[in-house]
Amino acid sequence: MADRLSARAAIAAVTADFTESTAPREDTAADGPLGWTGYADSRARATARTGEHESVVHGLATVGGHRCVLVSFEFGFLGGSLGQRTGDRLEAAYEEAVAQRLPLVSLIATGGSRMQEGMIALTQLHRVAAASARLRAAGPAQLAVLRDPTTGGGWATLGAGADVILALPGAQVGFAGSRVRPPGADPAAYTAEGQLAAGQLDAIVPPEELAATVGHWLGALAYRNTVPAAAKVPDALSATGLPRTGWDAVLRARSASRPRAEAYLDAYFGIRLPLHGDRCGGTDPGLLCGFGLREGRPVAYVAQCGTPTRPAGYRTAARVIRLADRLGVPVLTLIDTPGAANDAEAERAGAGAAIADAFAAIAAARVPVTTLVIGEGGSGGALALAAPGHTHVTADSYFSVIAPELAAAILKRSPDQTHATADQLRLRPQDLVDLGVARSVVGPGSPRTGSNGSSA
């Protein structure tokens, strides 16, 4: 179980610059809207124990040099539960973020809605959801840090509804609290680690790294009302001439020694901040997504790692692209896949709809999207993450409507005709430039163009 810090200790763990905002007027009846006998006494004891008058504290803060609105839950105050006064404070925090165009950071530790206020407490979730929607429409991002525990409505609104979700190791995370789970339920499913594996949150951050990580994220997510410049095309990481034949291009792209996405991202970014999972229970280890800082400037990235891309990968990519578009952050995609996963499990997981969603996200993006093909460009599974008119290729890549072997099989050609079929598909990097599919062949130091098999 993770350590349970007080609300103010959690704030102190991420910043020394916090100015508490004035709490909204609190004029509810002594024993609450239900007249729950002893409720006022319970609140008074909670105040005496914690020094707080409600289960949340909010105000303006600076984390890692970046301003934000900060909300922190006090679990010692009636289990960090949400009641009407909690809703007042949360709504005020969101409105402050809207008014000042600042991101909102929530340090959550809650057991859910407050039973002593009945349905009035439960309906605070509507208020929080509406306030969150207003902030999202205004532009600024929302970042949640899940402390122990994060359950019930607090998880299902501030937590799971955030743009970026971080968690402390060992935190309980789930809609169902520990006392209301089905008998025999797997306890691992209700942990930060279990939720990460299920694609429900982005990263687990050790306490000693939390302040720096939140600061980096605020630097990447800071709302911008300007027209972003396109991401610079990465340099190629291998020095090689252009392939002579189509089959040469295929062999190069499939070579185990060719640089992969991880190497490109490490070379491109000073700091990488991963976004993980499709929020629908799925992950794809063959797709790396997130925001990176390059010379202090944020760029969102979606990078295939040479494996068939799964539906969860496309859904995660679409989520990242839409977030970047909302925040005015340019996008870089790295293409390297033999194609979309086509097994029965992928079909059941909605492969077609997931690929369509990725196409739609790129098509609708108002920010510049830049693509570099670094290996295999296999059919629609690769094209779904490629930027029309802004795609570049390396000399050790290819892009094709279909793999040459499959094309030969469909055309009922013998296997010994595969190489000739590769030539007919015109899938070499220089062919792609000549066809207008790619803008340039990128070399180790700068873009280059080429044609007819000659190095440029």
Side-chain angles (χ1 to χ4, degrees):
M1 181 179 293
D3 291 337
R4 288 181 176 170
L5 298 177
S6 69
R8 294 183 191 274
I11 292 170
V14 297
T15 182
D17 182 0
F18 174 74
T19 302
E20 187 173 357
S21 298
T22 302
R25 182 180 176 185
E26 298 176 346
D27 55 3
T28 54
D31 276 334
L34 304 186
W36 186 288
T37 303
Y39 179 38
D41 290 339
S42 296
R43 292 206 310 270
R45 288 192 298 272
T47 295
R49 183 170 57 252
T50 65
E52 306 297 347
H53 292 278
E54 248 308 329
S55 59
V56 295
V57 175
H58 77 281
L60 294 172
T62 302
V63 182
H66 304 282
R67 296 290 283 167
C68 66
V69 172
L70 189 61
V71 171
S72 186
F73 278 71
E74 176 55 69
F75 189 77
F77 193 100
L78 302 180
S81 56
L82 279 71
Q84 187 170 18
R85 292 180 179 180
T86 322
D88 292 341
R89 293 186 178 207
L90 292 173
E91 188 173 58
Y94 276 102
E95 293 309 315
E96 191 164 23
V98 170
Q100 301 211 28
R101 290 192 174 274
L102 290 174
L104 185 137
V105 177
S106 300
L107 310 177
I108 307 172
T110 174
S113 298
R114 196 168 297 171
M115 291 180 294
Q116 296 93 330
E117 296 186 21
M119 281 300 298
I120 298 303
L122 192 63
T123 59
Q124 301 311 303
L125 305 184
H126 277 157
R127 294 180 68 191
V128 173
S132 175
R134 289 193 294 273
L135 179 58
R136 184 168 286 107
Q142 299 170 47
L143 185 151
V145 176
L146 312 182
R147 297 154 54 207
D148 184 56
T150 298
T151 60
W155 165 231
T157 50
L158 287 94
D163 298 305
V164 177
I165 307 173
L166 310 177
L168 293 176
Q172 296 180 65
V173 179
F175 188 64
S178 60
R179 298 183 182 180
V180 296
R181 296 169 191 162
D186 179 7
Y190 302 90
T191 63
E193 290 76 8
Q195 297 286 7
L196 179 69
Q200 304 294 356
L201 55 90
D202 292 305
I204 295 174
V205 184
E208 64 273 14
E209 298 177 13
L210 185 61
T213 300
V214 172
H216 289 320
W217 265 117
L218 288 175
L221 297 172
Y223 178 63
R224 295 163 181 80
N225 194 21
T226 58
V227 178
K232 181 180 181 296
V233 181
D235 293 335
L237 296 184
S238 59
T240 181
L242 294 170
R244 185 177 61 83
T245 68
W247 190 246
D248 288 340
V250 173
L251 291 178
R252 285 187 186 184
R254 293 176 180 174
S255 170
S257 63
R258 172 183 53 78
R260 304 286 165 152
E262 192 89 40
Y264 275 91
L265 295 175
D266 286 344
Y268 192 80
F269 291 114
I271 293 173
R272 270 200 286 143
L273 303 164
L275 289 167
H276 177 80
D278 66 357
R279 299 293 187 268
C280 300
T283 63
D284 183 352
L287 193 76
L288 300 176
C289 293
F291 280 50
L293 297 177
R294 178 180 169 85
E295 300 174 351
R297 174 188 171 201
V299 176
Y301 63 85
V302 173
Q304 293 170 317
C305 298
T307 59
T309 302
R310 305 203 65 79
Y314 292 111
R315 285 191 288 264
T316 304
R319 174 170 75 90
V320 173
I321 293 165
R322 290 190 174 109
L323 175 60
D325 190 49
R326 198 181 96 224
L327 299 177
V329 174
V331 177
L332 170 69
T333 67
L334 300 180
I335 301 301
D336 183 10
T337 180
N342 58 4
D343 53 82
E345 181 183 352
E347 293 297 337
R348 285 192 293 267
I355 295 168
D357 197 37
F359 271 116
I362 286 184
R366 296 159 296 180
V367 297
V369 181
T370 302
T371 296
L372 179 62
V373 185
I374 63 171
E376 289 194 85
S379 193
L383 191 68
L385 298 179
H390 297 279
T391 292
H392 305 261
V393 291
T394 65
D396 45 7
S397 71
Y398 80 87
F399 214 149
S400 178
V401 63
I402 192 170
E405 301 94 326
L406 298 179
I410 290 171
L411 295 171
K412 299 182 179 180
R413 295 177 175 177
S414 62
D416 61 5
Q417 293 181 288
T418 297
H419 295 190
T421 302
D423 287 334
Q424 284 184 290
L425 288 169
R426 297 196 65 192
L427 47 72
R428 299 175 304 167
Q430 60 267 41
D431 294 329
L432 299 171
V433 172
D434 290 345
L435 291 169
V437 174
R439 296 184 65 172
S440 71
V441 180
V442 176
S446 61
R448 59 185 181 176
T449 59
S451 61
N452 302 321
S454 61
S455 298

